Amino acid sequence: MPYLSPALNVMVAAARKAARPLIRDFGELENLQVSHKGPADFVSNADERTERILYEELTKARPGYGFLGEEGGFREGPDKTHRFIIDPIDGTTNFLHGVPIFAISIALEREGQLQSAVIYNPISDELYVAEKGHGAYLNDKRLRVAARKSLPETLMATGIPYMARGTDEERERSLAEVKAIVSRTSGIRRCGAASLDLAFTAAGRFDAFWERGLNPWDIAAGILLVREAGGLVTNLNGSSDPFSNGDVLATNETLHPQLMAILQNPFS
Ligand code: 2AM
Ligand code: CA
Ligand code: CA
Ligand code: CA
C-alpha cells in the first residue's frame, strides 16, 4: 500500500472529487464549450471547472498554501514554504477528441522541493502517487523504472511540438531528435499528455521520455513519480532543475547518458 501523508490524502481526495464530473463530460463531449487560448491551444469549460474544484478542495484543506494552475488559478499564500502546482486536465486535446489519455496532475512543493504528487486518469481509474522518500505507486503497486539498458530494446515517449509552439528551428530540431531516436530504439509513442508519459516511465512501461518547452504544471507531479521510482530526471543540459527551461529527459541511470548524447547532437 502506498504511504499517504496527510497532504497526499488531501490531494488524492481532491483529484477524485474533480474527476467525477469530468467522467460525465467525457461521455457527452458535444455539450462542452471549447475556446482557443491560441492556435492549437484549446481550453474547455471542463478544464476551468476542474481547476476550480481542485482550488476549492486544496485551499479548504490547506488555506495558507500557494497555488499555481494552468487555467489561471494563482495565489500566493501567507505560507511561503508550500505551493500546489496543478494541471486540471493534462491532455486536453485527447479529452476533447474522446481519446481516454488525459489526467489530473497535482504536485506539492515544499521549500522549492517536490514533496508529494498525484496523477489520476479518471477513465482508466489509474491513480499514481508519490511522496518524497517514500516511493511511487500505481494504485497499490510500488513502481520501479524499467531496467532495460540496451537502446534497441527500449520504447521511448516524447511530445512533438504542434503548430505554433517554438520557432521553425526548434521544430526542425525536434523532428531531428525523433529521427535520431526512432532509428536507434524499438519505437516512439506520442501520447499527448506529458504527465502520463512521466507516469508510464515511472511504471517502467516506457524506458524514457523527453520533451522540450513544457510548463511546470505539465511535469511537476511526474518528475517526483519518476525520481521516487528510481529514475533520473534532468533538463536537456543535464541540470536537475527541469523547471528552469521546461526541457525534460526522464529515464533510468544507464540510458540517461546515452540518450543525452543523442539528444544534444540530433543532426550527427
Ligand atoms: P495540456 O493538454 O494541459 O495543454 C503534450 O505535448 C503536452 O503539451 C501536454 O502535456 C499538453 O498539456 C501540452 N500542450 C498541448 N498543447 C499545448 C499548447 N498549445 N500550449 C502549451 N502546452 C500545450
Ligand atoms: Ca492547455
Ligand atoms: Ca498540460
Ligand atoms: Ca491542461
Side-chain angles (χ1 to χ4, degrees):
M1 287 296 280
Y3 169 79
L4 292 184
S5 66
L8 198 46
N9 255 316
V10 165
M11 291 156 65
V12 169
R16 288 198 186 278
K17 181 158 187 183
R20 268 177 248 133
L22 207 50
I23 295 168
R24 271 203 305 280
D25 291 334
F26 193 66
E28 38 181 85
L29 291 169
E30 61 284 0
N31 296 336
L32 287 176
Q33 292 145 29
V34 181
S35 50
H36 283 256
K37 292 204 281 187
D41 193 357
F42 301 100
V43 62
S44 72
N45 53 329
D47 298 73
E48 285 155 1
R49 189 206 50 230
T50 305
E51 182 157 314
R52 198 164 56 242
I53 296 171
L54 295 174
Y55 183 88
E56 283 166 11
E57 292 302 305
L58 296 170
T59 52
K60 193 164 68 189
R62 292 290 183 278
Y65 289 14
F67 186 97
L68 174 67
E70 181 186 4
E71 308 309 343
F74 177 79
R75 170 194 146 98
E76 220 168 320
D79 176 343
K80 301 277 183 247
T81 57
H82 292 89
R83 179 170 70 145
F84 292 113
I85 304 175
I86 72 123
D87 192 338
I89 304 179
D90 184 44
T92 293
T93 305
N94 285 343
F95 173 74
L96 294 175
H97 284 255
V99 177
I101 304 174
F102 61 90
I104 292 171
S105 176
I106 308 174
L108 174 64
E109 248 183 10
R110 190 171 147 217
E111 285 169 352
Q113 302 282 313
L114 293 165
Q115 181 66 32
S116 322
V118 171
I119 295 175
Y120 183 48
N121 177 337
I123 307 304
S124 66
D125 196 27
E126 286 191 317
L127 177 71
Y128 297 85
V129 300
E131 179 80 19
K132 191 173 185 197
H134 293 274
Y137 289 80
L138 164 51
N139 298 331
D140 290 336
K141 194 167 149 262
R142 178 100 191 227
L143 299 180
R144 183 81 209 154
V145 291
R148 277 178 287 269
K149 294 180 164 63
S150 151
L151 274 183
E153 295 171 6
T154 59
L155 183 61
M156 312 288 296
T158 192
I160 304 160
Y162 28 83
M163 271 192 312
R165 187 159 91 189
T167 61
D168 284 353
E169 211 173 302
E170 284 163 345
R171 276 191 294 276
E172 279 305 308
R173 190 189 166 91
S174 282
L175 294 176
E177 288 173 355
V178 167
K179 214 166 139 189
I181 294 289
V182 84
S183 62
R184 291 170 171 88
T185 61
S186 291
I188 297 186
R189 299 292 178 267
R190 197 279 186 240
C191 297
S195 62
L196 290 174
D197 286 328
L198 286 162
F200 282 24
T201 302
R205 294 171 176 175
F206 294 143
D207 296 281
F209 166 66
W210 90 97
E211 185 165 348
R212 292 178 186 270
L214 292 166
N215 288 297
W217 45 78
D218 300 317
I219 54 178
I223 290 171
L224 185 62
L225 273 166
V226 173
R227 289 188 176 148
E228 286 297 321
L232 196 58
V233 187
T234 66
N235 72 16
L236 289 159
N237 305 320
S239 153
S240 65
D241 179 14
F243 290 178
S244 56
N245 61 1
D247 298 349
V248 175
L249 171 61
T251 184
N252 68 39
E253 290 183 357
T254 312
L255 292 171
H256 190 277
Q258 301 175 49
L259 290 168
M260 189 68 111
I262 298 168
L263 292 169
Q264 287 186 334
N265 278 302
F267 295 101
S268 67

